[in-house]
Amino acid sequence: MKETDFTRRRKLGFPEIFVLIVKGAKRGLHTAVKEVAQSVRFEVRSYTEMAFCKARQKMNWTAFEEISALSAETFYDAAQRARRWRNLRVWGIDGSKINLPTNSATLEEFGSENYVSGPKAQGLASCLYDALNGVTLHAVLSRYDANERDLAAEHLRQLERFCQKNGTNPALELLTMDRGYPSETLIQQALKVGFSFLIRVNQQQFWKELRCMQGEDCFIKRERMTLRAVKIPLKEPEKTKSGKIVREATFLTNLPAEEYSLEDIRKLYCLRWRSEVNYGFLKSRVELENFTGLSPLCIRQDFHAAILLSNLIAASCYDASERAKRYSVGKKWEYKPNYTETYRELRKNVFDLILADSDRVYQRAYRKLQREIDSSLIPVRNNRHPKRGKPRRSPRFFHNHKPS
């Protein structure tokens, strides 16, 4: 990258290349570039794939990261009534392995997992995800062998800066984490800032004080910390890697017992699963692992572009959710926006929405988007518990998650 990049007037400048990357070229680079070249807004008669590839090499991937974070902050500034659970904003911290194109550059930058067919490049993604609003405040793509706790500590620092900037109370920010995250350092960091947290732990392997806990809800003391330890029966027993059957889950939290019952703890932890669902949406619908470039730079661009796109989807569905509530009055089911259809329509209108040269053009595109979202509402059927079965196959992209 040079200071002189994008200073000359080109057929497509920085904004257009940026939005083209956000839109994605999942159906092929030639098709994506052709759609841009035929766009009435740009009046470009011809634009080659090679020109696009050269142009994106001049863009730093941090631009996508910064604008993605800005989209989340803008959402909370605009959505004064963003969803909370009893005044708590519920954050889910979770990581997921990302399959990457395998070449010498990606193997060196991200590392690899060894398979029978040879090494395959992989990265580790970690997100700080708002479970109730569907917004990702902070996302990181690191080496596949990175420590998830270190990435979580980075999320906490980002959330602390967010609270300081907006003047919000850290105690109203609830962090939920799974069994891979408990560490004394991470807990002390959360307590120092004043965050609320709910972390599932392994009772037999974490702290010795947990093995001696009395009852299903008690307090344990460790050095200068006093935390609440909770046991909750599982609806379906879990089997560990060692073959042991686990019938109850153990949690550490600083939520007061007089305000949050065991049932409240169970409901809060269930919300954490939405961060897992978010990875499923990114990988299957958005096709996060279907990268449009092979270099580490292109991979990071695509990753943060997908996070930005998911935040735009969440913001669009948030606006539509109030209209869905009014539509649900008198109906058998409560209705909600369809994320997959919203993603499809957002990609179709992303140029006019982000690069509108006038408020009239933006409002027309936004109203069109909202009409399409309202026409594809889906019913919410609660308390469905389908049985988990072993999948017969493991395809790259699933048939029940059609591409958009």
Side-chain angles (χ1 to χ4, degrees):
M1 295 79 175
K2 301 178 183 178
E3 293 183 359
T4 56
D5 290 340
F6 295 104
T7 55
R8 296 176 61 187
R9 181 168 181 79
R10 302 286 186 178
K11 290 182 178 179
L12 297 182
F14 180 90
E16 291 81 15
I17 297 296
F18 179 91
V19 177
L20 181 55
I21 294 174
V22 172
K23 183 179 180 180
K26 310 301 184 183
R27 291 182 296 167
L29 186 57
H30 175 77
T31 303
V33 173
K34 186 178 179 180
E35 289 176 352
V36 178
Q38 294 177 345
S39 174
V40 177
R41 185 201 181 291
F42 301 119
E43 299 179 354
V44 177
R45 292 187 178 181
S46 64
Y47 193 78
T48 64
E49 301 95 301
M50 183 59 67
F52 167 73
C53 294
K54 287 184 177 179
R56 75 179 303 181
Q57 297 300 320
K58 301 175 182 179
M59 301 179 66
N60 198 327
W61 63 269
T62 56
F64 296 85
E65 182 185 39
E66 292 174 5
I67 295 179
S68 175
L70 181 62
S71 69
E73 295 177 4
T74 304
F75 170 82
Y76 291 112
D77 291 339
Q80 300 296 330
R81 299 176 61 186
R83 303 180 191 92
R84 291 173 177 257
W85 194 90
R86 287 171 54 178
N87 210 27
L88 289 174
R89 187 151 43 201
V90 183
W91 299 99
I93 296 180
D94 196 42
S96 179
K97 292 291 178 67
I98 306 295
N99 294 315
L100 308 175
T102 301
N103 54 60
S104 58
T106 55
L107 290 173
E108 181 180 356
E109 175 115 0
F110 296 102
S112 64
E113 189 74 40
N114 291 321
Y115 293 91
V116 176
S117 57
K120 302 293 183 181
Q122 283 190 336
L124 176 62
S126 184
C127 294
L128 178 63
Y129 181 76
D130 187 338
L132 295 176
N133 296 289
V135 175
T136 301
L137 181 64
H138 187 234
V140 179
L141 179 61
S142 184
R143 288 181 57 87
Y144 91 102
D145 53 358
N147 192 319
E148 287 187 324
R149 298 185 184 95
D150 295 338
L151 301 181
E154 190 173 345
H155 293 324
L156 264 61
R157 288 190 290 269
Q158 183 68 24
L159 183 58
E160 181 181 4
R161 288 191 290 268
F162 174 77
C163 292
Q164 292 173 350
K165 181 179 179 180
N166 294 275
T168 57
N169 184 3
L172 299 180
E173 311 291 341
L174 176 66
L175 303 167
T176 60
M177 290 172 266
D178 205 0
R179 286 168 288 186
Y181 287 94
S183 73
E184 192 162 335
T185 303
L186 195 62
I187 291 175
Q188 288 177 347
Q189 181 182 354
L191 290 173
K192 182 179 179 180
V193 179
F195 293 133
S196 300
F197 60 84
L198 176 63
I199 307 176
R200 185 175 176 181
V201 298
N202 189 317
Q203 184 182 3
Q204 301 300 323
Q205 298 180 5
F206 190 46
W207 287 345
K208 62 181 181 181
E209 289 84 356
L210 288 171
R211 295 193 289 270
C212 305
M213 64 178 293
Q214 302 293 328
E216 60 183 12
D217 192 352
C218 64
F219 288 90
I220 62 172
K221 294 183 179 181
R222 183 177 176 84
E223 297 181 358
R224 291 173 293 179
M225 295 186 294
T226 300
L227 299 177
R228 182 185 176 192
V230 174
K231 284 184 181 179
I232 297 179
L234 297 173
K235 290 185 176 180
E236 295 183 8
E238 297 178 354
K239 190 174 183 179
T240 64
K241 293 181 180 180
S242 60
K244 183 180 179 181
I245 302 299
V246 178
R247 302 185 182 278
E248 57 186 10
T250 306
F251 301 91
L252 282 177
T253 182
N254 59 348
L255 295 173
E258 57 273 11
E259 296 181 24
Y260 299 92
S261 64
L262 295 180
E263 181 62 20
D264 293 334
I265 298 295
R266 186 189 66 80
K267 291 180 180 179
L268 283 170
Y269 185 74
C270 287
L271 291 176
R272 189 207 66 84
W273 182 252
R274 297 186 182 183
S275 61
E276 305 270 6
V277 176
N278 181 53
Y279 280 119
F281 179 82
L282 290 173
K283 290 184 178 182
S284 60
R285 272 78 156 188
V286 183
E287 297 183 19
L288 172 61
E289 296 175 321
N290 188 7
F291 294 98
T292 60
L294 302 179
S295 68
L297 173 64
C298 295
I299 289 171
R300 294 188 184 278
Q301 288 175 349
D302 286 348
F303 172 77
H304 290 287
I307 299 299
L308 171 60
L309 194 58
S310 70
N311 284 348
L312 296 178
I313 294 170
S316 301
C317 289
Y318 175 84
D319 291 341
S321 60
E322 293 299 324
R323 298 192 298 275
K325 289 181 180 179
R326 293 193 294 270
Y327 176 80
S328 303
V329 176
K331 302 289 194 303
K332 178 180 179 181
W333 304 103
E334 181 181 348
Y335 284 78
K336 68 176 182 179
N338 186 323
Y339 264 56
T340 302
E341 288 298 315
T342 303
Y343 165 65
R344 183 176 65 85
E345 292 299 327
L346 189 61
R347 288 185 68 244
K348 287 171 55 178
N349 298 278
V350 67
F351 283 104
D352 287 334
L353 288 169
I354 298 182
L355 298 179
D357 53 4
S358 67
D359 185 65
R360 181 179 61 85
V361 173
Y362 170 79
Q363 291 296 336
R364 183 175 64 228
Y366 185 74
R367 286 194 295 269
K368 179 182 177 182
L369 173 65
Q370 292 300 318
R371 285 196 301 270
E372 294 297 333
I373 295 176
D374 292 345
S375 66
S376 58
L377 300 176
I378 56 176
V380 179
R381 297 181 175 91
N382 295 319
N383 300 320
R384 293 193 302 173
H385 303 286
K387 292 184 178 180
R388 294 183 181 179
K390 186 176 180 180
R392 296 182 180 179
R393 53 183 171 78
S394 181
R396 191 69 185 83
F397 296 105
F398 295 91
H399 291 285
N400 57 338
H401 293 163
K402 296 297 184 184
S404 300

